[in-house]
């Protein structure tokens, strides 16, 4: 199977660092003219330099996805720049938390406004462009927290569960225009959002023990899924959430298999 995205136009939010930056670089490598949005100019400048060095086509715009006016302005500029928008990746997100009794309204609002409202505002601005084209791909970053929340994650998990449901509603609304809307749940991918790689060995092991594949995911694992979902091969997939988390949600006690495998290795020696 050859995934051909050459010549398409994408908008990626939160593309300054982490998974979003890798998505922007990967799409651009595949020949997609890629417009990167972020709240941090320093990160966009770094990404712009990478695009220039690699000869990738695209643009970078400062844009807080919570800001409806700015979102509308940037989407208009982006669509005028390359004449269309084929792919929208709503990657921008934050994951601050705390137990409900001491959770501040500010933290609650930040999670809801960036993760959920930002996704809504971007989709609202891009949908008319995709409808006029009679085609489009919208990909929203959810999380396995949308299904199985972690301790102290009320704000984050609630926002991501809402992204999952929003995705289904929008898929239903945009189906007649050949626009697919899906979300994906990445994990566990060490980034500056979660600092997994800097945890003590004991805490890392505790997290790894929850994964069927028992290793950290890579940003490229997510990018492969994004490329597939953005391609013609995924034209009959919509309104769903695809898990790219090494089987985080697949089995109850994945460590049991590793314990058995380790015992067999010992016996075989
Ligand atoms: N890393 C993981 O294992 C993991 C797991 C589940 C879900 N996710 C989701 O994947 C996405 C990316 O995560 P990451 O780990 O790369 O995070 P990250 O913190 O490394 O990157 C997030 C990016 O979003 C940008 N951003 C933050 N607020 C913004 C706003 N208001 N407007 C525009 N941009 C904004 C940041 O500047 C940053 O560049 C998030 O939506 C996150 O919830 C990640």
């Amino acid at each position: 199977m050859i995934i051909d995205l050459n010549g398409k136009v994408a908008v990626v939010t939160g593309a300054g660092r982490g998974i979003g930056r890798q998505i922007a670089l990967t799409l651009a490598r595949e020949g997609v003219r890629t417009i990167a949005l972020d709240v941090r100019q320093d990160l966009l400048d770094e990404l712009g330099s990478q695009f220039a060095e690699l000869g990738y086509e695209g643009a970078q715009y400062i844009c807080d996805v919570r800001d409806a006016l700015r979102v509308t302005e940037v989407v208009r500029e982006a669509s005028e720049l390359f004449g269309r928008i084929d792919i929208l990746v709503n990657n921008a997100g934050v994951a601050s938390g705390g137990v409900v009794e001491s959770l501040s309204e500010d933290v609650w609002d930040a999670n809801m406004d960036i993760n959920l409202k930002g996704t809504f505002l971007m989709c609202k601005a891009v949908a008319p462009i995709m409808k006029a084209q009679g085609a489009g791909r919208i990909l929203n970053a959810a999380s396995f927290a949308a299904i199985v929340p972690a301790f102290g994650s009320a704000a984050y998990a609630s926002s991501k569960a809402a992204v999952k449901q929003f995705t289904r509603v929008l898929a239903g609304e945009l189906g007649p225009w050949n626009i697919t809307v899906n979300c994906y749940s990445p994990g566990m991918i060490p980034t500056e959002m979660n600092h997994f790689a800097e945890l003590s060995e004991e805490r890392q092991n505790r997290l790894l023990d929850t994964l069927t594949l028992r290793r950290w995911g890579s940003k490229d694992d997510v990018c492969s899924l994004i490329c597939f979902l953005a391609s013609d091969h995924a034209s009959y997939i919509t309104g769903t959430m695809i898990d790219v988390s090494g089987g985080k949600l697949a089995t109850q006690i994945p460590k049991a298999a590793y314990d058995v495998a380790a015992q067999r290795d010992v016996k075989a020696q």
Side-chain angles (χ1 to χ4, degrees):
M1 183 190 290
I2 293 167
I3 290 182
D4 181 10
L5 299 174
N6 198 33
K8 293 197 182 289
V9 177
V11 173
V12 182
T13 70
R17 73 177 193 197
I19 299 169
R21 181 185 291 207
Q22 194 66 14
I23 291 171
L25 287 166
T26 303
L27 289 173
R29 186 197 68 205
E30 295 299 311
V32 177
R33 290 165 284 173
T34 304
I35 293 134
L37 314 184
D38 206 282
V39 270
R40 281 187 47 188
Q41 189 62 52
D42 57 328
L43 299 176
L44 288 175
D45 290 345
E46 277 176 26
L47 182 64
S49 302
Q50 279 180 292
F51 265 56
E53 268 168 39
L54 295 161
Y56 292 162
E57 216 178 336
Q60 299 82 40
Y61 292 108
I62 194 89
C63 177
D64 187 328
V65 294
R66 292 170 290 190
D67 180 345
L69 277 179
R70 182 66 185 146
V71 164
T72 312
E73 189 177 67
V74 161
V75 167
R76 186 179 36 77
E77 277 184 49
S79 68
E80 284 169 6
L81 188 62
F82 294 118
R84 53 191 298 114
I85 297 176
D86 300 294
I87 304 158
L88 167 63
V89 185
N90 284 305
N91 160 83
V94 290
S96 40
V99 294
V100 171
E101 281 178 57
S102 56
L103 187 63
S104 72
E105 278 187 57
D106 286 350
V107 169
W108 177 268
D109 288 345
N111 280 270
M112 288 297 166
D113 288 352
I114 297 170
N115 301 349
L116 178 60
K117 186 177 159 191
T119 298
F120 153 63
L121 291 175
M122 287 298 303
C123 291
K124 186 175 174 181
V126 167
I129 295 163
M130 290 184 169
K131 278 168 94 169
Q133 294 165 183
R137 293 274 191 278
I138 297 177
L139 305 167
N140 299 326
S143 167
F144 48 74
I147 299 180
V148 184
F151 176 80
S153 73
Y156 179 71
S158 303
S159 72
K160 292 297 188 178
V163 165
K164 180 170 179 272
Q165 199 69 333
F166 172 79
T167 298
R168 298 172 75 171
V169 173
L170 192 63
E173 292 181 7
L174 297 182
W177 287 270
N178 189 32
I179 300 164
T180 65
V181 189
N182 291 292
C183 61
Y184 54 96
S185 59
M188 296 179 153
I189 293 145
T191 63
E192 288 177 66
M193 173 182 269
N194 51 41
H195 300 283
F196 285 154
E198 295 146 44
L199 297 174
S200 68
E201 200 181 331
E202 188 196 345
R203 288 189 65 194
Q204 288 198 33
N205 278 330
R206 213 163 61 186
L207 289 172
L208 288 168
D209 283 344
T210 66
L211 302 177
T212 303
L213 292 179
R214 216 192 174 283
R215 61 174 169 80
W216 299 128
S218 72
K219 293 166 194 151
D220 284 333
D221 290 324
V222 181
C223 294
S224 300
L225 176 64
I226 295 288
C227 288
F228 169 68
L229 287 175
S231 77
D232 291 345
H233 298 294
S235 56
Y236 203 52
I237 301 174
T238 196
T240 194
M241 181 168 96
I242 299 186
D243 180 33
V244 53
S245 68
K248 172 83 178 173
L249 304 171
T251 55
Q252 286 194 16
I253 307 172
K255 188 174 180 298
Y258 288 85
D259 290 344
V260 170
Q263 277 169 11
R264 288 212 179 116
D265 285 348
V266 169
K267 276 184 198 155
Q269 278 166 13

